Amino acid sequence: MSIELIRPGAHRAAPEPKPLISRDCGPEGCEVDWLASRRVEAELDIEDFTKFSLEMGWGDGLPLIPPTDARVRTFLSENDRYPDEVIGEMPGNVECTVEKIVINAVMAGAPPESLELLIAMISSIADPDFELYGVNATTAPVYPAFVVNGPIRQALDIPYSYGCLGGVPGNSASLGRAIRLMMRNIAGQTTGGTSQTTFGSPGRVAGIVTGEWEEKSPWAPLGERRGVAGNAVTSFGTMGTMNVIDTTSHSATDFLEMVGRSYAYAGCNNFSGAVPFGEALIALNPICAEIVGKQMPNIEDVQEVLWKFASLHESEFNKEHRDQLALQERIRGDGRVYATPEPKDILVFVAGGLGGLHAACFHTFGTSLSQTKPVASVIPVDQAQAAE
């Protein structure tokens, strides 16, 4: 793969959302032998089960809901998926089935109506270009962040306004936690074992699940710009969040310059000689986006300006770093090193509250490339019958 041009997965056809027809079999109608997972005797009291889960290596330190047969079958009964359906392959050649997703979703407290979003999220990080093995094993504090588009934001109460990156009551924390439990219990991530993360991160408990405030965006939704209109989710392997505030600038270019310069610091993974390429994810709050959008109605222009300023001159690196970056051909003719290979590799979306002029930056892990997947919709039985 060229370190100047990121063209991942070009040989693979983009997935298409498939409408699903609810069977609504009900808990009693689902055969017990549908569930293939090994049964374990455990106390059903929340405190006792949480302690037991830690002893078994399943837990994250927060209270877990026991995934009993009844709870797992009830969760499945409210959806249109067979439990043995394979959604993706995780590190170690482990198949991730719907049943495994549901078990961890139950433990995390995620609602049954979130299954299709969870499936799309798992499908995105199981994509080879996301490089989940590296995300799991690295010394970095990386974890998946997810940006949700489409009506499913409202249906699942996923925040995209004030506090959307954390702290808002709702389903986003349980969804992110469910994914983190799957990364532990299915993908095999254990700190100090398969994961060599030096410091870790609070995001390794519940991740980040945010919506895009599409209604406030002057540009098309992120998912649509990446080929998936409507309900979609985009995954990004992030090192955390960085806030940028600029209460002084008045023009679009000035705002974007502040954001780009703030993003570009020498010690982030985008400039590491150990990471030959990377993407960037940047959220503009609606106030900032409105100002920028009036002067730059084309998102490509926004990406171009951000890319220009999200760079460092070679003189800002010591000789050892310069030599390594030069060997990778990352020092351009203008003497600068850019955070991403091309402007298109800076992903921009609109989210956040209306209280001030802020942006949120997400720095890349490096070789983990963002993925956008469709979220399938469920068609109620009566509507499906009427359409026949």
Side-chain angles (χ1 to χ4, degrees), residues 161-247:
S161 180
Y162 296 95
C164 59
L165 299 184
V168 177
N171 292 319
S172 60
S174 64
L175 294 173
R177 188 186 180 204
I179 295 296
R180 291 296 307 148
L181 288 175
M182 293 176 214
M183 291 178 69
R184 171 191 296 272
N185 298 325
I186 305 173
Q189 184 184 66
T190 57
T191 303
T194 58
S195 170
Q196 295 295 305
T197 182
T198 304
F199 292 110
S201 166
R204 284 198 161 204
V205 177
I208 291 175
V209 180
T210 181
E212 178 172 16
W213 201 340
E214 301 173 9
E215 296 79 6
K216 293 286 188 180
S217 176
W219 310 289
L222 176 64
E224 183 176 328
R225 285 185 272 125
R226 291 174 58 85
V228 183
N231 288 333
V233 62
T234 298
S235 58
F236 182 88
T238 185
M239 308 292 283
T241 65
M242 182 184 74
N243 185 71
V244 180
I245 183 172
D246 183 357
T247 59

Side-chain angles (χ1 to χ4, degrees), residues 87-111:
I87 299 304
E89 189 173 278
M90 309 295 265
N93 299 319
V94 177
E95 291 184 340
C96 182
T97 63
V98 169
E99 179 178 340
K100 292 177 181 178
I101 292 174
V102 170
I103 290 171
N104 285 276
V106 168
M107 287 197 294

